[in-house]
Amino acid sequence: LEGGPEGTNLVDLNRAGAGVMEIVTEPDMRSAREAGAFCSSIRALLETIGTCDGNMQDGSLRFDVNVTVHNDADKIDSHRVEVKNLNSIRSVERAVEHEQSRLIELYATEQPGTRGSGHETRSFNAQTGESDLMRRKEDTADYRFLPEPDLPPLRLGAERIAHLERTMPELPQAILARLMAAPLSLPEDVA
């Protein structure tokens, strides 16, 4: 990002030397299909604005999902499972489906005193359709955000924000809305 101190650029690089952008959402998705649709829309948005080529197979874009299951009638309130580095929309959906089933089975067979004990991070194997434990996390403090001390806070001025708004391409949802609102008209030789 241009505009750093003394004309420098401010870029956050991960260990592989590539720029990193993390988007965190509220926990408000209710199904694997909804999670997949959300990931598809984020991918289209990032491709449209030019921040990512969306090539998930080559690692340009990955998704992590957090899964819990809740059922008030059966008093199920599972611990959080984070599934890391999903490299396709289909893997997002399959990982969520697998973790939902796994957590329900886990809570059906566990002893009552052990339910909800500890969060965990898992990887998903697309070949087997199953997940593997990477590590356990004792409490939510293990999920806390730690600011990078060597990176200054990013502050965009009103002029920069206005420029971005003026030069932003038409976004995918706006394109869809525009096309859906337009009357369908075909040339006479096609109709």
Side-chain angles (χ1 to χ4, degrees), residues 11-156:
V11 179
D12 181 6
L13 298 177
N14 69 8
R15 284 169 258 161
V20 175
M21 176 176 22
E22 185 166 330
I23 299 170
V24 180
T25 67
E26 293 292 325
D28 59 358
M29 289 166 228
R30 303 281 185 243
S31 70
R33 180 182 283 177
E34 190 176 347
F38 174 79
C39 292
S40 291
S41 66
I42 289 293
R43 180 180 179 182
L45 175 65
L46 296 176
E47 289 172 332
T48 299
I49 63 176
T51 60
C52 176
D53 66 11
N55 190 338
M56 296 181 73
Q57 299 85 336
D58 291 340
S60 298
L61 179 65
R62 297 291 170 104
F63 288 99
D64 296 349
V65 296
N66 289 292
V67 181
T68 58
V69 293
H70 303 279
N71 180 329
D72 291 336
D74 295 332
K75 297 190 176 5
I76 293 174
D77 190 12
S78 75
H79 63 279
R80 180 183 339 158
V81 173
E82 180 180 22
V83 185
K84 303 286 285 178
N85 295 315
L86 298 165
N87 67 350
S88 73
I89 302 301
R90 182 69 186 126
S91 287
V92 167
E93 293 173 348
R94 290 178 63 215
V96 170
E97 289 167 353
H98 171 72
E99 286 306 313
Q100 287 172 331
S101 297
R102 192 183 70 78
L103 287 169
I104 289 168
E105 176 70 21
L106 177 70
Y107 281 84
T109 59
E110 271 190 343
Q111 297 298 317
T114 63
R115 290 185 175 178
S117 56
H119 303 296
E120 49 187 46
T121 300
R122 301 183 73 85
S123 62
F124 182 73
N125 183 324
Q127 277 71 41
T128 65
E130 297 181 350
S131 64
D132 297 306
L133 179 66
M134 294 172 67
R135 63 183 168 274
R136 293 192 190 283
K137 296 185 176 186
E138 297 302 318
D139 57 32
T140 55
D142 288 334
Y143 284 91
R144 68 187 176 271
F145 171 75
L146 297 172
E148 171 57 53
D150 296 328
L151 295 174
L154 176 62
R155 293 186 180 90
L156 298 178

